[in-house]
């Protein structure tokens, strides 16, 4: 997180703040925390972009609603058709996109922090594949409904997280070992999904394939409640660990010296981030590359040297809301699955990231 607690000296004078931060003292005067103005400005700009994009998303379509009428329609006022289309179909979809993007952004930031690797996102190290495999297994084997598919995705993500953590653990979980183990498990899970697809009936296989692309079509208020509840509960746990994660990025020996319990922090962060990834995938399918790109873009914009969970959440929400608008209008009246748009954008970003890692001698 961008805000850290700093104890005061015995002299009563606050510690000198790092460049680009402002010390903010509470009323008691016992402790202070550092507020980064640049991080605050970046997050506010991202939220503004998200809000404007959301307003455009709920106004455009076969039946257009003027931007001036959108606020009233959201509150239930104005023309009957305006209220029906805004509240009934478009607003839930846009809010689901924002929630899923924020959840994936935070989960990606946590995984990248724990692995200390820009490639350590759920897409790359297998957690997305685990959640998707769990959901597909429930769809194809049991023919279950949306609730069971959601539970299957969450369970698949947690089981995969446990497997990756145990296989990658050797005197702690470190960098490329975690990435390589995750890539191997992801490949194995992909083969399991392919096998299940070959054994399924045609209609079931088609339904599973559509879900695996990642889509926000036909998402309603139930999905809004589900993803935002998961974000508040699991994201709250991760935000509470934000200070420890920043210390761990300095190295395990330094973190231990600062009083961080490495093992418990890793386990709790892995479990919460995996469950949050599973919850997002359960709602929208395995939407790729948002968890990879959002934390890195947020870090570059805020010029932060450590984990920026708030910035990653704001960037993830912005990316997915914008991608969903592109999916809606790029080939109108045909609607693209949002996973197609994020794959095109994210694939280009991954190539650029690998190039910069190679140029920097880190890959």
């Amino acid at each position: 997180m961008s805000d850290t607690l700093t104890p005061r000296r015995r002299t009563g004078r606050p510690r000198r703040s790092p460049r680009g931060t402002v010390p903010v003292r509470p009323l008691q005067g016992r402790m202070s925390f550092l507020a980064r103005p640049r991080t605050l400005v970046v997050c506010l700009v991202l939220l503004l972009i998200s809000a404007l994009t959301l307003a455009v998303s709920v106004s455009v379509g076969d039946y257009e609603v003027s931007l001036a009428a959108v606020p009233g329609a959201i509150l239930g006022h104005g023309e009957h058709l305006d209220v029906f289309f805004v509240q009934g179909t478009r607003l839930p979809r846009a809010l689901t996109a924002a929630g899923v993007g924020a959840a994936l952004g935070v989960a990606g930031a946590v995984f990248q922090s724990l692995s200390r690797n820009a490639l350590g996102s759920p897409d790359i190290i297998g957690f997305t594949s685990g959640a998707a495999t769990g959901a597909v297994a429930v769809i194809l084997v049991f023919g279950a409904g949306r609730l069971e598919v959601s539970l299957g995705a969450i369970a698949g993500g947690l089981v995969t997280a446990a497997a990756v953590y145990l296989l990658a653990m050797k005197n702690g979980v470190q960098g490329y070992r975690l990435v390589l183990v995750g890539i191997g498990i992801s490949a194995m899970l992909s083969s399991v999904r392919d096998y299940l697809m070959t054994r399924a009936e045609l209609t079931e296989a088609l339904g599973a394939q559509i879900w695996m692309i990642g889509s926000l079509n036909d998402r309603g208020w139930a999905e809004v409640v589900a993803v935002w509840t998961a974000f508040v509960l699991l994201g709250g746990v991760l935000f509470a660990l934000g200070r420890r994660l920043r210390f761990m990025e300095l190295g395990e020996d330094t973190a231990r010296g600062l009083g961080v319990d490495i093992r418990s922090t890793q386990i709790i962060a892995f479990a919460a981030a995996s469950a949050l990834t599973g919850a997002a995938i359960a709602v929208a399918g395995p939407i790729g590359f948002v968890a990879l790109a959002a934390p890195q873009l947020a870090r570059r914009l805020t010029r932060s040297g450590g984990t920026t969970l708030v910035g990653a959440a704001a960037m993830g929400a912005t990316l997915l809301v914008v991608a969903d608008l592109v999916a809606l209008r790029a080939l109108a009246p045909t609607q693209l699955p949002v996973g197609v748009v994020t794959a095109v954008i994210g694939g280009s970003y991954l190539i650029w990231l690998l190039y910069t890692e190679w140029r920097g001698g880190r890959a």
Side-chain angles (χ1 to χ4, degrees), residues 252-272:
E252 293 188 0
D253 292 337
T254 302
R256 287 192 184 94
L258 293 170
V260 177
D261 188 334
I262 303 296
R263 186 62 57 82
S264 65
T265 300
Q266 287 179 339
I267 292 175
I268 295 172
F270 259 97

Side-chain angles (χ1 to χ4, degrees), residues 64-332:
E64 293 193 4
V65 179
S66 65
L67 287 175
V70 167
I74 292 176
L75 297 175
H77 306 305
E79 298 290 335
H80 176 72
L81 285 178
D82 292 355
V83 175
F84 171 77
F85 279 103
V86 170
Q87 287 191 354
T89 59
R90 297 174 185 172
L91 183 60
R93 173 174 177 148
L95 292 178
T96 301
V100 171
L104 292 176
V106 170
V110 171
F111 286 129
Q112 290 176 6
S113 176
L114 290 173
S115 65
R116 295 198 291 275
N117 192 311
L119 298 177
S121 77
D123 313 279
I124 305 299
I125 60 180
F127 301 122
T128 297
S129 294
T133 301
V136 169
V138 170
I139 293 172
L140 298 182
V141 177
F142 303 105
R146 183 166 290 181
L147 176 61
E148 291 80 6
V149 171
S150 301
L151 295 176
I154 295 173
L158 290 174
V159 171
T160 304
V164 171
Y165 181 83
L166 293 175
L167 292 174
M169 184 175 60
K170 182 180 179 182
N171 298 325
V173 177
Q174 298 178 359
Y176 282 105
R177 187 189 306 129
L178 178 69
V179 174
L180 292 175
V181 170
I183 290 174
I185 290 182
S186 179
M188 294 171 61
L189 292 173
S190 297
S191 66
V192 172
R193 288 202 309 272
D194 292 341
Y195 173 76
L196 291 175
M197 297 283 283
T198 62
R199 305 297 297 176
E201 297 292 335
L202 179 60
T203 54
E204 294 176 343
L206 288 174
Q209 183 64 40
I210 293 173
W211 183 88
M212 286 173 58
I213 296 174
S215 176
L216 293 167
N217 295 341
D218 300 324
R219 297 307 188 264
W221 288 107
E223 286 76 19
V224 175
V225 173
V227 71
W228 281 105
T229 299
F231 178 77
V232 170
L233 296 179
L234 298 170
V237 173
L238 295 172
F239 283 123
L241 295 174
R243 190 180 182 213
R244 298 188 199 176
L245 293 173
R246 288 184 66 93
F247 287 156
M248 288 172 61
E249 291 177 2
L250 302 175
E252 293 188 0
D253 292 337
T254 302
R256 287 192 184 94
L258 293 170
V260 177
D261 188 334
I262 303 296
R263 186 62 57 82
S264 65
T265 300
Q266 287 179 339
I267 292 175
I268 295 172
F270 259 97
S274 300
L276 187 59
T277 302
I281 292 174
V283 169
I287 295 175
F289 294 105
V290 174
L292 173 69
Q296 291 299 312
L297 292 175
R299 180 175 293 191
R300 283 169 168 77
L301 287 176
T302 59
R303 296 180 183 174
S304 173
T307 304
T308 55
L309 297 184
V310 175
M315 178 61 72
T318 302
L319 287 177
L320 199 54
V321 169
V322 172
D324 187 48
L325 178 60
V326 173
L328 280 171
R329 305 307 302 168
L331 298 178

